[in-house]
Every structure is written in C-alpha cells, then in structure tokens.
Amino acid sequence: MDATGHTERENAGDREPVLDVVDRVCELCFGLFMALTFVGTVSAVGASADAGHKMFYTALGCNLAWGLADAVMYLVRTLVSRGRRMTVAHSVRSEPDAAAGVRALRDAMASWLKPLIGDTELESIRRRVAARPDLPQRAVFVRDDLIAAASIFVLVVAATFPVALPFVLFAHVPTALLVSRVLTIVMLFGSGVALGHYAGFRGWQAGLAMAVVGVLLTMAIIALGG
C-alpha cells in the first residue's frame, strides 16, 4: 500500500491481508482476556441455578461493546496514520528544496530504518513522490479499512464462545469450568505458536510462554477488579 492507502492491486490474489498475524492474534487474545475476567468470578455466583447463562450473556455483552470500541478506534488510528503520511507526501511534493524534502522523509521514517536508508535512496523516493499527480487532498477510508474493523469486531466477540459457552452447555459448574480452562489454555498456546512462527521463534516455546503469560495476566486483571 502506498503513502495514501489508495493503491489497488490488479490481481486480487496479490492483495495483502487486511490484518496481519499480530493484529489477528492480539485482537483474539484481547477478547479472550475480557471473557476470562467473567469466568474467573464464576465461583462467586455459582450458587445461582442460572449463573452460567448470566455469566455467558454478560461476557458476550461486554465483548460486543469492547469489540465495537476496538473496531472504531482501529478506524481512528488508521485515518490519523494515513493523514500523517499524506501530510508528509504533500510537504515533500510542494517543497522546492530537494534537501529539505529528503529531511522531511527521513524525519517521518521509523528510527530503526534511518541508518539503513541513505540520502540517495530518499532522494529517489522524493522525486517519485513529487512527480505524482494523483495525491488525494485528504485522508479517506478505503474498503479494506472497514473490512479490517469488522474483522476486529468479529475476533473479539468470537473469543467469548470457547471461554463462556461451556457454562451454557454444562449444567455442572465444575465441569464447565474445567472445559473452559482447557479451551482457554489451548487457545493461548495456539496464539503463541502463531506469533512465534511469525517472529521466527520456536513455536512450542512461544505457545507455552503465551499460555503462562495469559494465565498470569488474567489473574492480575481479576485481582485488580477487571
């Protein structure tokens, strides 16, 4: 995707995913942790005959709300980031001093990239940006932004079901709690494996680390009143 986010692929098969692995896994884990805060308190309401159903619908309602909030904030973040890139692009195109344009590009770069790209490469980029006649005047949403926001919403909400649904399916609360915890650990482990493969780590070690971190984080959230 270019600086403005409007580049269209001629071949649909060449399109990049609207969410990368990190985004998908993190959003799923976010929904998982939210649901776990309700499961962690099930013992406090376990005396009620319909406690499991209440807990499930409460967890689902919470994740619906947070999924919506997370999706909206993704759109806000995307529009602001795209607007910033467009501001830099327009600044470079309108700057008559080539050296000043190169400095503007370097200032906008991530710090880890700056030592890797010299002024010669940046000057080539500056010339291409300056020559573009089709830079939009303002940042706007594109279709993939809405698809990504909808995907975030679905991921957060979907994470509710493996954690909370056992309390609807099993009348015996200890059994439901056991099934929920097993599914939770499996999901955390799988999430860690996915992140590990993406980052170049050993999958099983990353999965184990994610499971441990997830359990500890959930305990901390519950202890803090989450």
Side-chain angles (χ1 to χ4, degrees):
M1 185 173 288
D2 66 2
T4 64
H6 285 268
T7 297
E8 294 291 340
R9 305 278 186 174
E10 292 183 1
N11 186 345
D14 293 336
R15 293 178 64 85
E16 297 180 356
V18 293
L19 294 175
D20 62 22
V21 173
V22 177
D23 289 330
R24 292 196 297 270
V25 171
C26 288
E27 294 298 341
L28 183 66
C29 287
F30 176 73
L32 190 64
F33 294 141
M34 292 300 297
L36 282 172
T37 61
F38 292 92
V39 172
T41 60
V42 70
S43 59
V45 297
S48 175
D50 60 346
H53 287 77
K54 288 182 178 179
M55 187 274 300
F56 170 77
Y57 289 117
T58 302
L60 180 60
C62 178
N63 275 12
L64 283 169
W66 278 109
L68 178 61
D70 212 14
V72 170
M73 291 310 300
Y74 169 84
L75 292 174
V76 171
R77 184 173 70 250
T78 297
L79 192 64
V80 171
S81 297
R82 183 170 298 146
R84 172 58 183 164
R85 294 195 299 270
M86 288 180 58
T87 298
V88 172
H90 281 289
S91 174
V92 169
R93 191 174 69 168
S94 62
E95 177 57 66
D97 182 8
V102 168
R103 287 195 299 271
L105 286 173
R106 183 169 294 281
D107 290 341
M109 291 170 56
S111 58
W112 68 272
L113 271 178
K114 292 180 180 180
L116 304 178
I117 300 181
D119 287 349
T120 302
E121 291 88 352
L122 288 178
E123 170 58 20
S124 176
I125 296 173
R126 186 202 66 80
R127 288 198 300 267
R128 291 199 296 273
V129 172
R132 287 199 58 171
D134 59 343
L135 285 177
Q137 293 302 310
R138 59 189 180 88
V140 296
F141 291 120
V142 297
R143 182 187 62 179
D144 281 356
D145 300 332
L146 303 179
I147 294 175
S151 299
I152 288 172
F153 176 78
V154 170
L155 284 170
V156 173
V157 174
T160 309
F161 293 93
V163 179
L165 193 58
F167 294 91
V168 176
L169 300 178
F170 298 94
H172 189 236
V173 172
T175 300
L177 190 58
L178 176 62
V179 173
S180 175
R181 286 174 175 171
V182 169
L183 290 176
T184 297
I185 292 174
V186 170
M187 289 182 66
L188 288 171
F189 183 83
S191 297
V193 170
L195 289 177
H197 284 310
Y198 182 79
F201 303 144
R202 291 184 178 180
W204 71 269
Q205 290 181 339
L208 183 60
M210 176 61 82
V212 172
V213 170
V215 171
L216 293 176
L217 180 58
T218 302
M219 293 172 60
I221 291 172
I222 294 172
L224 292 172

